[in-house]
């Protein structure tokens, strides 16, 4: 049996070459995650001439803002869709948070007698459901929400996953003794929730609120299912429609083209759509560095600890 | 009644809080479950007064005809094959790659760089599939795309399994990596120090400490994913291929199939789409129960219910 001399302990560090390899692999993937976004920004700033000659390229022959001017010249269509998206996001997030907080609070209260029933009531929907068609029929024919703001908000107001995160936040950040002493001091259930529990669970509410807001902002599926009226298209669906139906855009620009002084012939159709995609992602991309920490910490607390 | 309310004041108040959510669940989740009877009907809107109940009560029951009709077509078997194959590949690759990335991230000495990588990797999670389809389009556009010289991507089904897999990994790896990273960060650092003093290499530490420590989580997430193997990501399969007909053979999955059948302008389409969705839900339900049963056997603590 050969006994190797114990390696001198030099701290638990990686060798320089291994560390370099790791940076190469992880760094490459990390960059790949944002390169497409940077790419469409570059395309949106490329001139029509540049697209015609060298196609999409990270190094366009000529840089212009024509595409963005064209996007803003769409005027009403863009502004209205922007308004629809903002309205749906703000109202939807507020209502969704309210419903989720109220429901999760009941599940968090160990002394609430119907807790087990309501827990089953919500979590069973995670494993079984009516599926797409009956849900669509209920929304269209029973609630009569077709072609309305309601159809863009109501169907995604309540998500079991968010209930799980919220309840976990209550459990980890609000001690039961606090609730008890509030009751001894004569605080009613609603007052306990709004003036004691909610202030303590702010990080959890922020996490769920951000996830909900992004869900509403990014939604296109509800519009695909329920909205036929162009005036109610959210931005995401407008973008999707344009991609699958470029003619729509040409029609709009024929109408306003002369007024805006843009010549239809040298209009970068692809450039315009890329510009719109950039405009839609921009709010998220700008806010992202600030809110991502919140969501990461929220998700890791909410998803892991139980 | 008033006496009853005073006696159960607490229960009453909290039940009041549960109501908005409970009503939402009842209307948007439980009533549709009842709507599954449509799967056994030749569903048609009732001409005189097409309300929800009238439509269902006045549609003819046809037994299992809808199911028979669906499974007589090659298209149905094709989309089931696609759903299972894509999900199998997604599950295996996501598990392996996100663990690998999480382990790498945890080994990076510079906290600043580790955070930066993590931030960049998580970004696609917040991008909608509509915008992601523009990203893909920038590479595959038949006239201007970077890869347009290779073939006309949107007419040629070859290559789409790879494109869709890359798109899926691009969007989801950051998220699952963060979950694993959180678990790895929770491992007692003393274990690594002790192992290093005993002469264990980093590579050995990963296999002897990291992987065993996060094994319950790996098994959990893996089995939960297997339980959802009949569910496909509608956004991915609908938007990235841009709804192109020639690609349908390799891009059609359960969820897009149900949607397309529902929209089809043929008699009985609604009944058939419901039947397909019903089949998907039943089999998904069985898969989840089965997965949970296995988790219970392997590791009781991690079972979901």
């Amino acid at each position: 049996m050969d006994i190797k001399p114990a390696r001198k302990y030099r701290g638990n560090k990686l060798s320089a070459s291994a560390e370099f390899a790791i940076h190469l692999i992880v760094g490459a993937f990390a960059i790949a995650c944002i390169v497409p976004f940077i790419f469409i920004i570059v395309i949106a700033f490329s001139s029509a001439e540049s697209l015609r000659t060298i196609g999409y390229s990270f190094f366009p022959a000529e840089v212009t803002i024509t595409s963005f001017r064209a996007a803003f010249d769409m005027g009403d269509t863009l502004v209205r869709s922007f308004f629809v998206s903002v309205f749906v996001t703000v109202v939807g997030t507020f209502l969704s948070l309210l419903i989720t907080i109220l429901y999760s609070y009941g599940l968090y209260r160990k002394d609430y007698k119907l807790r087990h029933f309501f827990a089953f009531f919500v979590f069973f929907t995670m494993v079984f459901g009516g599926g797409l068609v009956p849900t669509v029929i209920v929304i269209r024919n029973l609630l009569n929400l077709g072609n309305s703001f309601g159809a863009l908000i109501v169907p995604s107001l309540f998500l079991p996953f968010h209930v799980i995160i919220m309840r976990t936040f209550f459990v980890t950040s609000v001690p039961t003794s606090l609730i008890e002493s509030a009751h001894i001091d004569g605080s009613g259930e609603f007052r306990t929730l709004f003036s004691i529990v909610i202030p303590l669970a702010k990080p959890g509410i922020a996490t769920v609120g951000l996830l909900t807001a992004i869900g509403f902002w990014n939604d296109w599926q509800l519009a695909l299912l329920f909205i036929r009226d162009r005036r109610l298209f959210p931005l995401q669906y407008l973008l999707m429609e344009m991609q699958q139906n470029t003619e729509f855009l040409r029609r709009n620009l024929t109408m306003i083209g002369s007024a805006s002084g843009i010549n239809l012939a040298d209009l970068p159709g692809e450039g315009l759509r890329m510009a719109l995609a950039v405009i839609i992602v921009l709010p998220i991309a700008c806010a992202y560095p600030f809110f991502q920490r919140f969501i990461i910490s929220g998700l890791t607390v909410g998803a892991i600890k139980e | 009644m008033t006496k009853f309310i005073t006696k159960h004041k607490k229960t009453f108040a909290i039940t009041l809080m549960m109501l908005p959510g409970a009503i939402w669940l009842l209307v948007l989740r439980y009533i549709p479950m009842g709507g599954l009877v449509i799967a056994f009907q030749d569903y048609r809107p009732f001409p005189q007064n097409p309300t929800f109940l009238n439509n269902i009560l006045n549609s003819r029951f046809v037994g299992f005809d809808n199911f028979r009709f669906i499974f007589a077509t090659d298209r149905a078997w094709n989309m089931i094959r696609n759903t299972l194959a894509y999900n199998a590949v997604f599950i295996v690759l996501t598990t392996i790659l996100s663990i690998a990335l999480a382990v790498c991230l945890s080994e990076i000495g510079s906290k600043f760089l580790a955070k930066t990588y993590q931030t960049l990797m998580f970004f696609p999670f917040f991008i909608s599939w509509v915008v992601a389809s523009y990203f893909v389009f920038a590479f595959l556009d038949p006239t201007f795309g970077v890869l347009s010289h290779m073939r006309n991507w949107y007419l040629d089904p070859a290559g789409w399994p790879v494109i869709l897999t890359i798109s899926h990994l691009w969007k989801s790896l950051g998220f699952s990596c963060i979950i694993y990273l959180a678990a790895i960060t929770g491992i007692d650092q003393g274990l690594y120090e002790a192992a290093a003093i005993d002469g264990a290499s980093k590579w050995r530490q990963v296999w002897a400490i990291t992987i065993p420590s996060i094994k319950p989580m790996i098994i959990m997430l893996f089995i939960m994913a297997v339980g959802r193997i009949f569910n496909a990501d509608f956004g991915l399969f609908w938007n990235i291929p841009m709804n192109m007909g020639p690609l349908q053979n390799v891009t059609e999955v359960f969820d897009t199939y149900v949607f397309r059948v529902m929209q089809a302008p043929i008699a009985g389409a609604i009944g058939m789409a419901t039947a397909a969705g019903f089949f998907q839900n039943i089999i998904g339900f069985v898969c989840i129960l089965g997965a949970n049963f296995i988790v219970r056997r392997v590791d009781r603590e991690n079972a979901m219910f």
Side-chain angles (χ1 to χ4, degrees):
Chain A
M1 192 174 159
D2 62 313
I3 300 166
K4 284 186 192 158
R7 207 175 50 168
K8 195 178 167 234
Y9 180 59
R10 344 168 249 115
N12 198 8
K13 287 258 161 54
L14 274 177
S15 67
S17 56
E19 176 123 21
F20 179 74
I22 282 179
H23 277 283
L24 214 60
I25 296 166
V26 181
F29 178 68
I31 288 167
C33 282
I34 52 152
V35 154
F37 181 52
I38 294 167
F39 192 30
I40 67 162
I41 294 178
V42 175
I43 295 171
F45 278 108
S46 306
S47 70
E49 182 55 33
S50 168
L51 292 187
R52 254 199 305 280
T53 48
I54 56 172
Y56 299 151
S57 163
F58 277 101
F59 309 101
E62 191 190 347
V63 175
T64 68
I65 55 160
T66 325
S67 300
F68 286 94
R69 269 183 54 205
F72 288 110
D73 281 335
M74 285 171 65
D76 265 11
T77 317
L78 187 67
V79 172
R80 213 183 273 128
S81 289
F82 183 78
F83 169 75
V84 171
S85 285
V86 170
F87 180 81
V88 165
T89 305
V90 171
V91 175
T93 306
F94 176 75
L95 291 177
S96 177
L97 264 183
L98 189 67
I99 297 177
T100 309
I101 289 171
L102 288 172
Y103 203 94
S104 314
Y105 177 67
L107 297 188
Y108 150 75
R109 287 288 298 271
K110 289 213 161 53
D111 52 345
Y112 176 50
K113 292 194 187 81
L114 301 172
R115 186 165 65 103
H116 294 290
F117 166 75
F118 281 114
F120 178 82
F121 200 62
V122 60
F123 296 131
F124 181 70
T125 64
M126 288 179 93
V127 291
F128 190 74
L132 177 75
V133 188
T135 312
V136 167
I137 291 176
V138 163
I139 292 164
R140 276 197 198 141
N141 295 355
L142 185 66
L143 300 176
N144 281 319
L145 286 178
N147 247 336
S148 70
F149 275 111
L152 294 172
I153 295 174
V154 174
S156 32
L157 274 184
F158 195 48
L159 290 177
F161 179 57
H162 291 177
V163 173
I164 296 180
I165 298 179
M166 193 69 91
R167 187 188 59 172
T168 311
F169 263 100
F170 286 156
V171 172
T172 51
S173 55
V174 188
T176 323
S177 55
L178 213 57
I179 307 271
E180 281 159 12
S181 52
H183 284 161
I184 292 168
D185 290 347
S187 163
E189 291 300 336
F190 281 89
R191 209 172 118 201
T192 311
L193 172 62
F194 285 99
S195 53
I196 294 174
V197 177
I198 287 181
L200 282 176
K202 262 187 201 147
I205 292 168
T207 305
V208 174
L210 283 167
L211 284 175
T212 313
I214 290 160
F216 276 113
W217 181 260
N218 278 344
D219 182 67
W220 46 272
Q221 213 167 340
L222 292 172
L224 173 70
L225 288 169
F226 300 113
I227 306 295
R228 292 291 155 270
D229 184 350
R230 291 196 176 284
R231 287 171 307 173
L232 286 176
F233 280 4
L235 278 177
Q236 300 280 348
Y237 190 61
L238 181 77
L239 192 66
M240 179 177 162
E241 248 257 355
M242 283 171 78
Q243 183 72 311
Q244 297 184 1
N245 180 12
T246 318
E247 284 317 300
F248 158 64
L249 151 103
R250 297 216 175 274
R251 208 169 37 201
N252 260 341
L253 280 164
T254 325
M255 289 189 292
I256 57 152
S258 51
S260 63
I262 293 172
N263 193 347
L264 190 66
D266 58 23
L267 190 97
E270 279 76 10
L272 168 52
R273 279 180 286 154
M274 293 299 177
L276 277 178
V278 171
I279 292 171
I280 289 177
V281 184
L282 219 53
I284 293 185
C286 291
Y288 176 69
F290 304 101
F291 71 65
Q292 53 94 16
R293 272 158 221 278
F294 242 162
I295 292 195
I296 289 176
S297 62
L299 281 180
T300 43
V301 169
I304 291 169
K305 271 191 214 155
E306 176 54 26
Chain B
M1 187 66 194
T2 2
K3 205 175 154 197
F4 180 81
I5 289 173
T6 12
K7 197 178 161 201
H8 298 275
K9 203 173 157 203
K10 187 173 71 190
T11 312
F12 183 77
I14 299 181
T15 308
L16 212 59
M17 295 179 183
M18 306 304 269
L19 272 187
I23 291 170
W24 187 95
L25 288 169
L26 183 72
V27 176
L28 282 123
R29 290 291 176 265
Y30 286 93
I31 292 180
M33 285 182 207
L36 283 172
V37 291
I38 297 169
F40 305 96
Q41 287 185 324
D42 178 16
Y43 180 86
R44 271 142 216 250
F46 185 57
Q48 283 83 15
N49 182 15
T51 62
F52 178 68
L53 264 185
N54 275 347
N55 289 351
I56 289 180
L57 292 178
N58 291 293
S59 291
R60 197 164 50 90
F61 274 89
V62 292
F64 283 88
D65 277 8
N66 286 327
F67 295 89
R68 240 173 267 144
F69 201 87
I70 293 167
F71 291 109
T73 60
D74 287 342
R75 198 179 150 199
W77 293 108
N78 183 55
M79 65 90 184
I80 290 177
R81 181 205 66 182
N82 287 348
T83 311
L84 292 178
Y86 277 116
N87 273 331
V89 173
F90 289 177
I91 293 168
V92 171
L93 287 182
T94 306
T95 308
I96 295 174
L97 293 178
S98 54
I99 293 171
L101 279 173
V103 168
C104 288
L105 268 179
S106 72
E107 289 298 336
I108 286 176
S110 153
K111 282 287 151 260
F112 172 74
L113 274 178
K115 280 275 175 231
T116 309
Y117 291 147
Q118 199 182 354
T119 305
L120 295 178
M121 279 162 54
F122 201 25
F123 181 66
F125 180 77
F126 299 98
I127 298 301
S128 75
W129 278 121
V130 172
V131 174
S133 78
Y134 275 69
F135 293 173
V136 175
F137 187 73
F139 292 93
L140 307 183
D141 179 348
T143 30
F144 303 132
V146 178
L147 304 174
S148 60
H149 59 278
M150 291 171 70
R151 57 163 75 98
N152 191 337
W153 294 94
Y154 289 96
L155 296 175
D156 185 353
W160 278 92
V162 177
I163 296 166
L164 290 169
T165 306
I166 292 174
S167 304
H168 171 82
L169 293 175
W170 175 81
K171 193 150 156 50
S172 65
L173 271 187
F175 179 79
S176 37
C177 174
I178 280 170
I179 302 282
Y180 282 119
L181 187 61
I184 292 175
T185 322
I187 300 171
D188 180 8
Q189 286 304 309
L191 291 175
Y192 293 104
E193 291 293 330
I197 291 168
D198 288 347
S201 66
K202 272 283 173 192
W203 185 245
R204 181 114 182 78
Q205 290 174 32
V206 167
W207 287 102
I209 302 172
T210 313
I211 301 293
S213 303
I214 60 170
K215 204 169 106 195
M217 173 163 259
I218 300 174
I219 294 173
M220 239 316 252
L221 293 178
F222 182 81
I223 292 178
M224 268 163 65
V226 173
R228 300 187 55 78
I229 199 158
F230 277 89
N231 293 70
D233 185 345
F234 180 79
L236 166 65
F237 292 96
W238 184 260
N239 281 308
I240 302 295
M242 305 237 176
N243 198 10
M244 290 295 284
L247 307 178
Q248 259 182 41
N249 235 356
V250 295
T251 60
E252 183 95 295
V253 289
F254 229 124
D255 298 72
T256 57
Y257 174 83
V258 171
F259 180 75
R260 284 205 177 93
V261 173
M262 183 180 81
Q263 304 283 73
I266 50 167
I270 299 284
M272 283 194 299
T274 313
F278 190 33
F279 176 77
Q280 183 190 23
N281 283 350
I282 290 284
I283 208 162
F285 186 55
V286 171
C287 283
I288 290 177
L289 289 189
N292 188 62
F293 176 76
I294 297 170
V295 180
R296 277 180 87 95
R297 296 292 296 269
V298 178
D299 182 359
R300 231 192 133 70
E301 287 214 331
N302 279 313
M304 285 169 284
F305 41 84

